[in-house]
Amino acid sequence: MENTGRRKSSTGTSTPKKTTEWLIGRKIKIRTASNEEIQGRIYTYDRMTNSIALECSPSSTQHTTRKGLGFRIIKISHIKEVLSNEEMNNNDTTHYLPINYVQVERLSQRELNGVKHMRQRVAKMGVGVTKEAQDIFDALSKTLPCRWSNDTIVVLDEVLIQAPYGIENCKANASSAASLARVKKVLEGERRRLEKSKK
């Protein structure tokens, strides 16, 4: 779609490729290299990646809001065939909202926060433990800081709860007697609550 030659559409007509501005707003239907048929309106063309952004929202005539818009980014080299190519009306491009400046720093921070949140979630998932063990961990972690060490629940970094995770399975150093008593009390209450929820 760059400045090299002409491209034939499915109708047999040739289109000059002097610029890419004529592409914006056109409704096209394409078949990809994986034989997927995609229909939509060309939103923009990116020379750097040689890709088009295709708006595939159910209603391609209303562009007054971004809510509900769906886009597909497709490499030009992945397009096997152009099945249809409709010219836009004179006022079509005026319906498009301007593309705002993308704050890369904010996106990077959102990515970091997302990765951190996911790692925290993964850290709270026991590996090779029973559903009951995970339920106990989840219940305890609502009120006390917990983590897994293999199949052992570590609470407050002081108290160990080993399978089958009863109050008699709680262990701690003598210096952590107060924490041990607190964990036992919370564990007893949570186990009682979980037992009731099963009935």
Side-chain angles (χ1 to χ4, degrees):
M1 290 189 177
E2 284 295 295
N3 303 330
T4 56
R6 301 162 73 90
R7 179 190 183 92
K8 277 194 173 183
S9 69
S10 60
T11 59
T13 59
S14 297
T15 306
K17 300 195 288 185
K18 295 179 181 179
T19 68
T20 57
E21 292 181 2
W22 64 274
L23 293 169
I24 309 304
R26 296 180 75 95
K27 296 178 184 179
I28 64 170
K29 183 177 182 181
I30 61 173
R31 179 177 289 121
T32 66
S34 58
N35 288 322
E36 178 187 6
E37 291 187 6
I38 305 172
Q39 184 173 347
R41 186 189 295 260
I42 298 176
Y43 185 73
T44 190
Y45 169 74
D46 181 49
R47 292 182 177 86
M48 294 291 292
T49 60
N50 197 29
S51 303
I52 58 171
L54 197 63
E55 182 203 324
C56 302
S57 57
S59 175
S60 58
T61 58
Q62 298 296 324
H63 305 282
T64 56
T65 175
R66 285 191 177 88
K67 186 176 181 182
L69 292 182
F71 292 89
R72 295 283 298 272
I73 298 176
I74 305 165
K75 295 279 288 184
I76 298 299
S77 59
H78 193 61
I79 298 176
K80 181 179 179 181
E81 183 182 1
V82 178
L83 301 175
S84 65
N85 183 358
E86 299 179 22
E87 288 197 27
M88 61 186 175
N89 296 325
N90 292 334
N91 296 324
D92 273 357
T93 54
T94 62
H95 293 296
Y96 282 103
L97 293 171
I99 301 176
N100 295 330
Y101 171 73
V102 177
Q103 297 182 348
V104 179
E105 297 80 7
R106 290 183 62 184
L107 292 178
S108 297
Q109 189 59 49
R110 286 181 62 183
E111 181 184 16
L112 290 174
N113 291 341
V115 170
K116 180 180 177 181
H117 179 67
M118 183 56 65
R119 285 177 176 171
Q120 290 174 344
R121 288 185 61 186
V122 171
K124 292 183 177 182
M125 296 171 60
V127 178
V129 300
T130 63
K131 182 181 182 302
E132 182 185 40
Q134 187 64 54
D135 288 343
I136 292 171
F137 179 94
D138 293 341
L140 286 172
S141 63
K142 291 178 181 178
T143 54
L144 299 170
C146 302
R147 62 180 175 85
W148 285 102
S149 177
N150 296 323
D151 62 347
T152 299
I153 301 174
V154 182
V155 188
L156 299 168
D157 281 330
E158 294 179 327
V159 181
L160 305 180
I161 308 176
Q162 297 174 325
Y165 312 103
I167 57 174
E168 65 279 2
N169 305 117
C170 298
K171 298 179 181 179
N173 294 329
S175 59
S176 303
S179 297
L180 178 61
R182 180 185 175 192
V183 170
K184 283 185 175 181
K185 183 176 181 180
V186 174
L187 177 60
E188 184 178 19
E190 293 297 344
R191 288 195 69 98
R192 190 181 304 116
R193 185 181 64 80
L194 290 171
E195 286 296 327
K196 287 182 179 179
S197 64
K198 294 178 181 178
K199 297 179 181 179

mmCIF file of all heavy atoms in Angstrom, residues 1-2 15 19-28 41-45 52 76 85-86 88:
data_model
loop_
_atom_site.group_PDB
_atom_site.id
_atom_site.type_symbol
_atom_site.label_atom_id
_atom_site.label_comp_id
_atom_site.label_asym_id
_atom_site.label_seq_id
_atom_site.Cartn_x
_atom_site.Cartn_y
_atom_site.Cartn_z
ATOM 1 N N MET A 1 0.816 -1.206 0.000
ATOM 2 C CA MET A 1 0.000 0.000 0.000
ATOM 3 C C MET A 1 0.856 1.265 0.000
ATOM 4 O O MET A 1 0.392 2.333 0.283
ATOM 5 C CB MET A 1 -0.923 0.024 1.223
ATOM 6 C CG MET A 1 -2.021 -1.001 1.149
ATOM 7 S SD MET A 1 -3.188 -0.755 2.460
ATOM 8 C CE MET A 1 -4.367 -2.003 2.055
ATOM 9 N N GLU A 2 2.142 1.097 -0.248
ATOM 10 C CA GLU A 2 3.037 2.231 -0.266
ATOM 11 C C GLU A 2 3.162 2.786 -1.677
ATOM 12 O O GLU A 2 2.306 2.583 -2.529
ATOM 13 C CB GLU A 2 4.397 1.808 0.297
ATOM 14 C CG GLU A 2 4.390 1.678 1.816
ATOM 15 C CD GLU A 2 4.143 3.026 2.470
ATOM 16 O OE1 GLU A 2 4.974 3.910 2.333
ATOM 17 O OE2 GLU A 2 3.087 3.182 3.095
ATOM 18 N N THR A 15 -5.876 0.682 -8.581
ATOM 19 C CA THR A 15 -5.902 1.853 -7.728
ATOM 20 C C THR A 15 -4.502 2.394 -7.564
ATOM 21 O O THR A 15 -3.606 1.641 -7.175
ATOM 22 C CB THR A 15 -6.463 1.483 -6.330
ATOM 23 O OG1 THR A 15 -7.722 0.842 -6.514
ATOM 24 C CG2 THR A 15 -6.621 2.710 -5.469
ATOM 25 N N THR A 19 -0.380 7.835 -2.282
ATOM 26 C CA THR A 19 -0.435 8.138 -0.851
ATOM 27 C C THR A 19 -1.331 7.104 -0.190
ATOM 28 O O THR A 19 -1.962 6.284 -0.862
ATOM 29 C CB THR A 19 -1.016 9.548 -0.595
ATOM 30 O OG1 THR A 19 -2.403 9.549 -0.954
ATOM 31 C CG2 THR A 19 -0.265 10.603 -1.385
ATOM 32 N N THR A 20 -1.388 7.182 1.136
ATOM 33 C CA THR A 20 -2.263 6.260 1.861
ATOM 34 C C THR A 20 -3.505 6.959 2.397
ATOM 35 O O THR A 20 -4.351 6.316 2.996
ATOM 36 C CB THR A 20 -1.499 5.628 3.051
ATOM 37 O OG1 THR A 20 -1.007 6.681 3.899
ATOM 38 C CG2 THR A 20 -0.331 4.802 2.561
ATOM 39 N N GLU A 21 -3.636 8.266 2.176
ATOM 40 C CA GLU A 21 -4.776 8.994 2.708
ATOM 41 C C GLU A 21 -6.091 8.501 2.130
ATOM 42 O O GLU A 21 -7.127 8.527 2.792
ATOM 43 C CB GLU A 21 -4.615 10.495 2.430
ATOM 44 C CG GLU A 21 -3.478 11.130 3.216
ATOM 45 C CD GLU A 21 -3.355 12.620 2.946
ATOM 46 O OE1 GLU A 21 -4.197 13.133 2.169
ATOM 47 O OE2 GLU A 21 -2.447 13.251 3.490
ATOM 48 N N TRP A 22 -6.067 8.065 0.868
ATOM 49 C CA TRP A 22 -7.302 7.603 0.237
ATOM 50 C C TRP A 22 -7.842 6.332 0.888
ATOM 51 O O TRP A 22 -9.010 5.986 0.724
ATOM 52 C CB TRP A 22 -7.064 7.358 -1.252
ATOM 53 C CG TRP A 22 -6.067 6.258 -1.532
ATOM 54 C CD1 TRP A 22 -4.716 6.379 -1.600
ATOM 55 C CD2 TRP A 22 -6.364 4.879 -1.742
ATOM 56 N NE1 TRP A 22 -4.137 5.168 -1.850
ATOM 57 C CE2 TRP A 22 -5.129 4.215 -1.945
ATOM 58 C CE3 TRP A 22 -7.540 4.137 -1.788
ATOM 59 C CZ2 TRP A 22 -5.034 2.856 -2.175
ATOM 60 C CZ3 TRP A 22 -7.452 2.779 -2.029
ATOM 61 C CH2 TRP A 22 -6.221 2.136 -2.224
ATOM 62 N N LEU A 23 -7.008 5.637 1.663
ATOM 63 C CA LEU A 23 -7.450 4.408 2.318
ATOM 64 C C LEU A 23 -8.371 4.679 3.498
ATOM 65 O O LEU A 23 -9.277 3.898 3.787
ATOM 66 C CB LEU A 23 -6.236 3.611 2.817
ATOM 67 C CG LEU A 23 -5.307 3.017 1.769
ATOM 68 C CD1 LEU A 23 -4.043 2.503 2.428
ATOM 69 C CD2 LEU A 23 -6.010 1.905 1.022
ATOM 70 N N ILE A 24 -8.115 5.773 4.232
ATOM 71 C CA ILE A 24 -8.802 6.028 5.491
ATOM 72 C C ILE A 24 -10.307 6.174 5.270
ATOM 73 O O ILE A 24 -10.756 6.943 4.430
ATOM 74 C CB ILE A 24 -8.244 7.293 6.176
ATOM 75 C CG1 ILE A 24 -6.719 7.231 6.275
ATOM 76 C CG2 ILE A 24 -8.870 7.478 7.552
ATOM 77 C CD1 ILE A 24 -6.198 6.006 6.983
ATOM 78 N N GLY A 25 -11.063 5.430 6.030
ATOM 79 C CA GLY A 25 -12.516 5.503 5.977
ATOM 80 C C GLY A 25 -13.161 4.544 4.998
ATOM 81 O O GLY A 25 -14.381 4.393 4.986
ATOM 82 N N ARG A 26 -12.376 3.873 4.163
ATOM 83 C CA ARG A 26 -12.948 2.933 3.193
ATOM 84 C C ARG A 26 -13.420 1.664 3.889
ATOM 85 O O ARG A 26 -12.769 1.166 4.800
ATOM 86 C CB ARG A 26 -11.927 2.584 2.119
ATOM 87 C CG ARG A 26 -11.492 3.765 1.259
ATOM 88 C CD ARG A 26 -10.491 3.347 0.212
ATOM 89 N NE ARG A 26 -11.124 2.621 -0.887
ATOM 90 C CZ ARG A 26 -11.513 3.190 -2.017
ATOM 91 N NH1 ARG A 26 -11.350 4.489 -2.197
ATOM 92 N NH2 ARG A 26 -12.064 2.482 -2.981
ATOM 93 N N LYS A 27 -14.556 1.163 3.441
ATOM 94 C CA LYS A 27 -15.071 -0.109 3.944
ATOM 95 C C LYS A 27 -14.509 -1.224 3.077
ATOM 96 O O LYS A 27 -14.665 -1.196 1.852
ATOM 97 C CB LYS A 27 -16.591 -0.130 3.904
ATOM 98 C CG LYS A 27 -17.260 0.887 4.806
ATOM 99 C CD LYS A 27 -18.771 0.835 4.656
ATOM 100 C CE LYS A 27 -19.456 1.903 5.484
ATOM 101 N NZ LYS A 27 -20.930 1.871 5.308
ATOM 102 N N ILE A 28 -13.866 -2.178 3.710
ATOM 103 C CA ILE A 28 -13.295 -3.287 2.947
ATOM 104 C C ILE A 28 -13.658 -4.611 3.592
ATOM 105 O O ILE A 28 -13.993 -4.686 4.775
ATOM 106 C CB ILE A 28 -11.757 -3.180 2.825
ATOM 107 C CG1 ILE A 28 -11.101 -3.299 4.214
ATOM 108 C CG2 ILE A 28 -11.339 -1.911 2.127
ATOM 109 C CD1 ILE A 28 -9.584 -3.443 4.139
ATOM 110 N N ARG A 41 -14.037 -0.949 8.480
ATOM 111 C CA ARG A 41 -13.643 0.334 7.911
ATOM 112 C C ARG A 41 -12.198 0.622 8.311
ATOM 113 O O ARG A 41 -11.816 0.452 9.474
ATOM 114 C CB ARG A 41 -14.565 1.425 8.427
ATOM 115 C CG ARG A 41 -14.353 2.807 7.799
ATOM 116 C CD ARG A 41 -15.173 3.851 8.539
ATOM 117 N NE ARG A 41 -16.604 3.600 8.393
ATOM 118 C CZ ARG A 41 -17.386 4.247 7.535
ATOM 119 N NH1 ARG A 41 -16.875 5.151 6.738
ATOM 120 N NH2 ARG A 41 -18.677 3.991 7.480
ATOM 121 N N ILE A 42 -11.397 1.038 7.360
ATOM 122 C CA ILE A 42 -9.988 1.315 7.649
ATOM 123 C C ILE A 42 -9.880 2.579 8.494
ATOM 124 O O ILE A 42 -10.308 3.658 8.085
ATOM 125 C CB ILE A 42 -9.162 1.476 6.354
ATOM 126 C CG1 ILE A 42 -9.203 0.178 5.549
ATOM 127 C CG2 ILE A 42 -7.718 1.841 6.688
ATOM 128 C CD1 ILE A 42 -8.496 0.261 4.212
ATOM 129 N N TYR A 43 -9.331 2.421 9.677
ATOM 130 C CA TYR A 43 -9.188 3.553 10.606
ATOM 131 C C TYR A 43 -7.874 4.289 10.359
ATOM 132 O O TYR A 43 -7.825 5.509 10.353
ATOM 133 C CB TYR A 43 -9.257 3.049 12.045
ATOM 134 C CG TYR A 43 -9.250 4.148 13.068
ATOM 135 C CD1 TYR A 43 -10.360 4.953 13.257
ATOM 136 C CD2 TYR A 43 -8.123 4.379 13.867
ATOM 137 C CE1 TYR A 43 -10.357 5.970 14.205
ATOM 138 C CE2 TYR A 43 -8.112 5.389 14.810
ATOM 139 C CZ TYR A 43 -9.237 6.183 14.976
ATOM 140 O OH TYR A 43 -9.219 7.194 15.899
ATOM 141 N N THR A 44 -6.800 3.521 10.168
ATOM 142 C CA THR A 44 -5.515 4.140 9.870
ATOM 143 C C THR A 44 -4.565 3.117 9.278
ATOM 144 O O THR A 44 -4.847 1.912 9.303
ATOM 145 C CB THR A 44 -4.885 4.761 11.140
ATOM 146 O OG1 THR A 44 -3.747 5.565 10.770
ATOM 147 C CG2 THR A 44 -4.418 3.692 12.111
ATOM 148 N N TYR A 45 -3.476 3.607 8.731
ATOM 149 C CA TYR A 45 -2.431 2.754 8.174
ATOM 150 C C TYR A 45 -1.104 3.154 8.791
ATOM 151 O O TYR A 45 -0.782 4.339 8.882
ATOM 152 C CB TYR A 45 -2.374 2.907 6.652
ATOM 153 C CG TYR A 45 -1.157 2.264 6.022
ATOM 154 C CD1 TYR A 45 -1.067 0.883 5.916
ATOM 155 C CD2 TYR A 45 -0.100 3.036 5.574
ATOM 156 C CE1 TYR A 45 0.053 0.288 5.345
ATOM 157 C CE2 TYR A 45 1.019 2.449 5.008
ATOM 158 C CZ TYR A 45 1.098 1.078 4.892
ATOM 159 O OH TYR A 45 2.200 0.489 4.352
ATOM 160 N N ILE A 52 -2.654 -2.231 8.905
ATOM 161 C CA ILE A 52 -3.840 -1.377 8.935
ATOM 162 C C ILE A 52 -4.600 -1.647 10.223
ATOM 163 O O ILE A 52 -4.592 -2.763 10.752
ATOM 164 C CB ILE A 52 -4.775 -1.613 7.722
ATOM 165 C CG1 ILE A 52 -5.220 -3.082 7.649
ATOM 166 C CG2 ILE A 52 -4.146 -1.149 6.442
ATOM 167 C CD1 ILE A 52 -6.315 -3.330 6.615
ATOM 168 N N ILE A 76 -0.248 -6.108 6.457
ATOM 169 C CA ILE A 76 -0.577 -6.132 5.029
ATOM 170 C C ILE A 76 -0.145 -7.463 4.405
ATOM 171 O O ILE A 76 -0.843 -8.037 3.565
ATOM 172 C CB ILE A 76 0.096 -4.958 4.293
ATOM 173 C CG1 ILE A 76 -0.420 -3.624 4.839
ATOM 174 C CG2 ILE A 76 -0.130 -5.047 2.792
ATOM 175 C CD1 ILE A 76 -1.894 -3.405 4.664
ATOM 176 N N ASN A 85 -14.261 -3.495 -1.739
ATOM 177 C CA ASN A 85 -13.563 -2.240 -1.455
ATOM 178 C C ASN A 85 -14.504 -1.103 -1.807
ATOM 179 O O ASN A 85 -14.652 -0.745 -2.973
ATOM 180 C CB ASN A 85 -12.272 -2.180 -2.267
ATOM 181 C CG ASN A 85 -11.461 -0.951 -1.964
ATOM 182 O OD1 ASN A 85 -11.857 -0.108 -1.165
ATOM 183 N ND2 ASN A 85 -10.324 -0.835 -2.618
ATOM 184 N N GLU A 86 -15.187 -0.522 -0.790
ATOM 185 C CA GLU A 86 -16.172 0.521 -1.039
ATOM 186 C C GLU A 86 -15.578 1.889 -0.765
ATOM 187 O O GLU A 86 -14.911 2.095 0.248
ATOM 188 C CB GLU A 86 -17.403 0.320 -0.142
ATOM 189 C CG GLU A 86 -18.127 -0.981 -0.361
ATOM 190 C CD GLU A 86 -19.315 -1.120 0.585
ATOM 191 O OE1 GLU A 86 -19.799 -0.076 1.070
ATOM 192 O OE2 GLU A 86 -19.725 -2.258 0.833
ATOM 193 N N MET A 88 -15.624 5.747 0.383
ATOM 194 C CA MET A 88 -16.328 6.449 1.456
ATOM 195 C C MET A 88 -17.120 7.618 0.882
ATOM 196 O O MET A 88 -16.837 8.111 -0.213
ATOM 197 C CB MET A 88 -15.328 6.981 2.479
ATOM 198 C CG MET A 88 -14.325 7.972 1.909
ATOM 199 S SD MET A 88 -13.076 8.432 3.088
ATOM 200 C CE MET A 88 -12.016 9.456 2.059
#
